[in-house]
Amino acid sequence: MNKNIHPQSAVLGFLLFLLLWQLISLAVDRPILPSPLKVMPMFVMELPGVLGLHLLASAGRVLAAIGLAVITAAPAGLVLGQMPKLDRLFSPLIAITYPIPKIVLLPVIYVLMGITDISKIILIATIIFFQILVVVRDEAASLKPELILSVRSLCAGRRALFRYVYLPASIPAVLTALRISIGTAIAVLFIAEQSLTTYGLGYYIVVETYQVLRYPEMFTGILAMGLLGVVLYFTVASIEFRVNRHLFVAS
Amino acid sequence: MIELIDLTFAYSGHPPLFDRFCLRVGKGEAWAIIGPSGCGKSTLLYLLAGLKRPSKGRVLIAGESIHRPRPRTGLILQDHGLLPWATVGQNARLGLAIRRLYGPDGRHAPVDSEVEPQDADRQIDYWLQWLGIEGLRNKYPSQLSRGQRQRTAIARTLVLKPDLLLMDEPFSALDAPIRIELQSVMAGFHRQSQLTSITVTHDIEEAVFMGRKVLVLHDGCNRDTEVVDNDLAGRSDERNSPAFHQRCEDLHRLLERRP
């Protein structure tokens, strides 16, 4: 992420996306791929209604999962990054569990915790947790001892070190991890929302539209899910850009 | 100003670097500590800074026993220790910000150090200007030269009005012309402020230029203090004189000698 996306290029990208969609839909010419000319007006009409509720439910779950992951993983990552002994103990465990696709734990979590919003949120949070943990840990470990020493020599206690060193050092790491993991988080959300819920885009797309062959409506759901991903991604990226200004200055 | 009494220090699993080591530094004196790497000169500075604790013995500064960093002691490291995500201005303000966070509690900030924000601005302006980096206020460390970064670190320390300045290889990473310029700047500062200062260095010329007294440390265990009186310190006009070179030569011989 070297640049913020300009509004013009965002519009251009969107128009190209619609054009491509239209072309593919013409080429395929089957009900499963309706034209954007049909879907887009429907999307705009439905968004303030039921579709909007599904979108809000999904967004709520992702945001809750992000919040949960950040408040648990960021401190854990900081501690591991600053305590090499502890890190040596845990890093093999993290190395083994990090690449496991957490979605396979879905049945286990459902049985243990029930098929509730909480269990869905925890599943998504687990995915983001590992991303943040690893990136924050590496960031904290890369803080030079000289930096800590010289700030401590300014009489910084734990509180000041946290405020002026650890916090500003870990926020960019958290944002990077979030940006990277948002795609996976939403994919898992899509799967998790297919079972036993009443609101959520995953439920809307699979149960309420796909299974009853309402393809154009299904596509409004797909668009909403895409919108959720895009908005989250660019929100995180733009905060990241602002926080990391020192990395983007010309030297 | 500084008194080391029977100081003993060893890193765990290693033979002691200092054994019942005693030293007295008077107020307003400029000292240099020189020795080969691994002789414990930086360790001694960290002990003075309160960043390490002696195994035995005491470190007294201004009559107080040192157990943690002392608010009125300024420390400048070879690696400037600037926050990479903060501008020159923000870095220069860091010490004051930390003091504000805690308030004048005597532990993190001197008891009499209540600083109004506009006073802080004035002090930062003053020191940035004095060090010739006021134009870089909004730059990040990555945009600066090494010399400019070290100037920023010096500004951050001097803004806090220290009464004791500790410098660990402060100019070692700099190119020769800039090193000599900054040495002169700090020597000038010492003349002006009469601040007690201690410079740790492995560079003999730097020791002769920065230290009115030069403490020579050796590899292995330091017990007896070896101090060279040096009247050539801070004399830019003497830097190329035969006397200066002779003094360097003498120190060199002293360093070579096995204790």
Side-chain angles (χ1 to χ4, degrees), chain A:
Chain A
M1 282 314 294
N2 276 327
K3 282 184 216 158
N4 264 333
I5 298 278
H6 286 291
Q8 303 99 292
S9 61
V11 170
L12 182 68
F14 184 61
L15 289 178
L16 278 174
F17 164 74
L18 289 182
L19 181 69
L20 198 65
W21 178 1
Q22 176 64 36
L23 289 176
I24 296 174
S25 134
L26 284 174
V28 173
D29 193 24
R30 284 174 57 186
I32 187 67
L33 245 176
S35 151
L37 296 172
K38 187 165 184 191
V39 176
M40 284 311 292
M42 199 183 255
F43 177 72
V44 175
M45 298 273 287
E46 296 257 329
L47 199 57
V50 179
L51 182 63
L53 290 178
H54 287 294
L55 177 60
L56 281 180
S58 292
R61 287 182 189 122
V62 176
L63 290 176
I66 288 176
L68 184 63
V70 169
I71 57 168
T72 51
L78 275 177
V79 168
L80 288 180
Q82 281 293 301
M83 300 183 136
K85 280 183 190 157
L86 205 62
D87 187 36
R88 269 197 293 280
L89 183 68
F90 278 101
S91 71
L93 178 69
I94 294 169
I96 290 171
T97 45
Y98 175 72
I100 295 177
K102 311 298 175 295
I103 185 76
V104 298
L105 297 174
L106 181 84
V108 182
I109 290 180
Y110 276 175
V111 171
L112 288 179
M113 310 191 59
I115 307 177
T116 59
D117 267 344
I118 305 286
S119 60
K120 293 179 175 58
I121 289 167
I122 285 182
L123 181 68
I124 299 165
T126 314
I127 293 159
I128 309 174
F129 175 88
F130 277 91
Q131 295 279 2
I132 295 177
L133 181 74
V134 170
V135 183
V136 170
R137 178 194 64 184
D138 294 349
E139 192 64 38
S142 74
L143 284 174
K144 290 194 205 145
E146 290 84 4
L147 178 68
I148 312 274
L149 269 185
S150 76
V151 178
R152 273 184 57 207
S153 82
L154 299 169
C155 285
R158 226 165 276 151
R159 193 149 59 100
L161 275 177
F162 179 77
R163 164 73 183 77
Y164 293 108
V165 181
Y166 294 129
L167 190 65
S170 56
I171 287 177
V174 168
L175 291 169
T176 307
L178 277 183
R179 180 164 52 77
I180 296 168
S181 50
I182 276 172
T184 324
I186 290 178
V188 170
L189 176 77
F190 173 72
I191 294 171
E193 279 183 344
Q194 290 170 19
S195 33
L196 292 185
T197 184
T198 36
Y199 281 104
L201 289 170
Y203 175 76
Y204 181 74
I205 292 169
V206 173
V207 180
E208 287 205 341
T209 55
Y210 166 68
Q211 289 174 358
V212 291
L213 309 181
R214 293 164 64 203
Y215 292 140
E217 286 82 357
M218 181 185 85
F219 263 84
T220 63
I222 292 175
L223 268 183
M225 203 130 209
L227 185 70
L228 179 62
V230 166
V231 168
L232 279 177
Y233 183 93
F234 283 105
T235 307
V236 172
S238 82
I239 299 173
E240 205 182 349
F241 180 75
R242 227 164 296 163
V243 169
N244 283 350
R245 200 170 295 152
H246 68 283
L247 296 180
F248 300 120
V249 287
S251 38

